[in-house]
Amino acid sequence: MPLFLIALGVIGIENALTRYFAVAKWSEYGYWIISIVMAGFALSGVFVALFRDTVARSGVALRAILPAAMILAAAFGFQMMTANPFNPLQLQNPTTWPDQVRNIGLYYAALLPFFFLAGLYISLIFVLNHREIGRVYGYDLIGAGLGSAVALGLMFVIHPFLLAPVLLIPLALGPWFQPGRSRWVGGLLALAALVGGEYVLFTGTAPAFSEFKAIYAPMNTPGAKVVAEIRAPRGHYLLLDDFTERVDADVSNNAGLMGIAGPPATYGLYRDGNRIASLPKAFSRDAAYAPSALSAAPYVLRPHAETLLVGLSGGFRIAEAKALGATNIDGVEGEPVLKDALIHGLGPSPAMVTDPSVRLLDGGPIAAAWRAGPNRYDVIDVSADFVDAAPANVTGVTVEAMQAYLASLRPGGMVSISVSIRDFPVYALRVVSTARSALLSTGVADPSAHVMIYRSAWNARILISSTPWAAADIAALKAFCEARSFDVSWAPGMNVAAARASLFNDLPGVSFETGQMTSTGPDDAIANEVGAVLAGRPSASSGAFHIRPATLDRPAFYSSLRIEHPQTLIKRLEVLPQAEIGALVNVAVLGQAILIALLVLAAPALFVRRKGMAKEPRRLWPVIYFPALGLGFLFIEILLIDRAAFYLNDYSSAFALVLTSMLIFSGLGSMIAGRVGAMPKVASAIGLIVVLAWIAAMLIGGEDYLMRTLDQPLWMRAGTVVLAAAPVSLALGMPFPLGLISVGDGRALPWAWGLNGAFSVVATPLANLMSRDVGFSSLLIVAAGLYAVAFLVLPVGVKAARPVRSAATEPVPNPSGAAPTPLEFPA
């Protein structure tokens, strides 16, 4: 029970720290928390392995002291973290990055002690209860799973900055459940530490938004105020009222000449300090600006369109489409808070007025298109802010999504997708590449005849038709753009070179490697390359960027950088979009993780045989077995989270459901392993068969099943996720305790725990990089190989027991007065 509560508190605090990073900094840097956690566990395993007998002799005292020490370490560490002046933007500046690297080191210095002490406590419990490894590890995993669930539940009611103080409480409760007289000492120490820790947290530096967050400037404008707040695991939402908030629409510079008013004032909705939408101040969404907006062209080309809107931008996209003549409108809003605001309102922002011609659909855009069936829509319109509004929304601009869109269009209908070109035009080229793959899959021989592109200085619109564009459509688009000072970057039969002479918005080509412009006069960087992309040929940007289709297997939208060219990336660090930084953070964490893993692997070289200590055999199999488990488990977990995020159309719910399910079912699997520990090879074989069969099912039919059941109610889809996670998690919970049982009670036991932790550090960034560049299915294939290798190296059975002296074990009552017999531990 103490281990259960400690595991609950530790994983809860890990969740709290990750949420702090997402709110106060940027979520990409939350990977450091995972790295620090597992590094602490790995180093604690090595420490216990080196000083196993000393730790065991001091077991009773350590169990009493460690929870209190953990509470104080967590409190001081969190306080140091909030006071850290880390600024990610300065990390991208060649002159300021050394100071930020030092600040990253301060994060490790602040948080590593807590997770080292937590790992020390868990290792100690393993050593003191080596005969019940399966049961002990089961309680550890189940406690961790419930800790994650508790933390996520608390996020609905507690501010993200207050999660850590609340989650210190389980750590203080742990010692009160310890056996023996140490319960009172440990409990009172933990209670005193809790009081001191809470004092430190509530009187020290208060957590706050960093100045580089999007919310910082508007929140600090005169008269700004927060008018609504929502707390949830998916984010901390603030509705802001200040004079800077307007509808985020790309309107023509000619709007005044056209007699069209500009976008109206609104409230600004922020999630974790990042702006995601405008919400209206009045019941009617004022869309008088719509005829001058970049998004208006499809409705000019297709008057009275039957429309599917993907991303509703607080309802303003519906108002725009209605103002432009759309008749019946189906709307998909992937961000749950935004959808709820449309239906019920949010704070002072009113709900959308009921309109019989407008339907709000459940699920994501792919599900909406499949449900609609063929010949349903004239226009499918993907809004400019849809991809950034929620993590799961990236699936809406994949090949599979475009296939679904094209299948639901009427003859002559079109898909309209907005892409920002503020950072790199390459994102527009990636959407074009994705459209090309979707068109080819539907039997189109010449995709270039089915695509048109037009743009402003800030955004591009890609129009995709299931039928070739007619000359009248091309002429209508050119007339639309000329009246609004927009530019046509591609249309069938277009002379790209001649079009440069009449550009309204210069978009010069820039070499990423050198930072120098590649043109001397007016230029259109998209027009220069789109012909090659539509033909499937390399283009000027393909050497520096990945211009490849996005798929459900590789859905990351902001994954264009070629991380295999680190020198170029470092040289051009200051111009990289924030959304691309996550991959570089993963590379940095991976390098550090590999170093930690190598140090843990080398730990047995430091083992010194002391007087009276039984000689331990040197075995190679743990060096292969435990790293394979650490990597394989995380690969499967990350794959499941991604698939569930697509299926549920919500990344946060998927993360919570998968993590909790996997930890609890793995804990049950560990308890089963404890009962069959005498036959590790047989039990491991059964587990391997289940794992391989599950992986094969996921690879062969998993995606097809998801696509066929996307229209099921949410509760049924959530139940399907749990049912999918249960059998493989049960099987995944068995190999680790079976390996610990086979290792025995010597110093290899905590070392094996450290090995597993060290390679779990490696697994997270490696899995993210693999899924980004190779695809999520690669995680399953590699995981299958890792578990097969682990099975092959696991010994056939537990060797004969041998005597090992352990001062940590209480003496057995001996009425006869004879010398006690040494306890027998497995080899």
Side-chain angles (χ1 to χ4, degrees), residues 370-383:
W370 285 131
R371 281 198 299 264
N375 299 316
R376 175 67 179 85
Y377 299 115
D378 298 301
V379 173
I380 297 178
D381 190 350
V382 182
S383 71

Side-chain angles (χ1 to χ4, degrees), residues 172 655-656 669:
F655 180 85

Side-chain angles (χ1 to χ4, degrees), residues 352-507:
M352 185 176 64
V353 176
T354 303
D355 185 337
S357 66
V358 177
R359 294 191 308 164
L360 296 183
L361 305 180
D362 293 325
I366 298 178
W370 285 131
R371 281 198 299 264
N375 299 316
R376 175 67 179 85
Y377 299 115
D378 298 301
V379 173
I380 297 178
D381 190 350
V382 182
S383 71
D385 55 7
F386 177 72
V387 168
D388 295 326
N393 286 358
V394 293
T395 58
V397 286
T398 58
V399 170
E400 292 83 354
M402 292 190 195
Q403 289 171 337
Y405 301 155
L406 290 168
S408 64
L409 288 177
R410 293 173 175 173
M414 72 182 76
V415 180
S416 174
I417 300 176
S418 179
V419 187
S420 171
I421 55 176
R422 287 176 174 87
D423 295 315
F424 294 134
V426 71
Y427 297 123
L429 298 177
R430 283 202 65 204
V431 172
V432 171
S433 177
T434 304
R436 174 181 180 273
S437 291
L439 288 165
L440 289 173
S441 70
T442 62
V444 170
D446 181 15
S448 66
H450 295 250
V451 174
M452 293 197 293
I453 304 171
Y454 67 105
R455 65 175 182 84
S456 67
W458 309 109
N459 298 283
R461 276 266 169 183
I462 294 108
L463 304 181
I464 310 151
S465 175
S466 54
T467 55
W469 288 108
D473 290 326
I474 298 171
L477 180 64
K478 289 180 178 178
F480 171 88
C481 290
E482 287 174 2
R484 294 160 178 81
S485 297
F486 297 143
D487 295 296
V488 177
S489 292
W490 177 262
M494 174 180 171
N495 186 328
V496 172
R500 292 196 191 102
S502 56
L503 285 175
F504 293 106
N505 305 281
D506 188 23
L507 184 64

Side-chain angles (χ1 to χ4, degrees), residues 725-736:
V728 72
S729 301
L730 203 67
L732 293 177
M734 297 177 67
F736 185 66

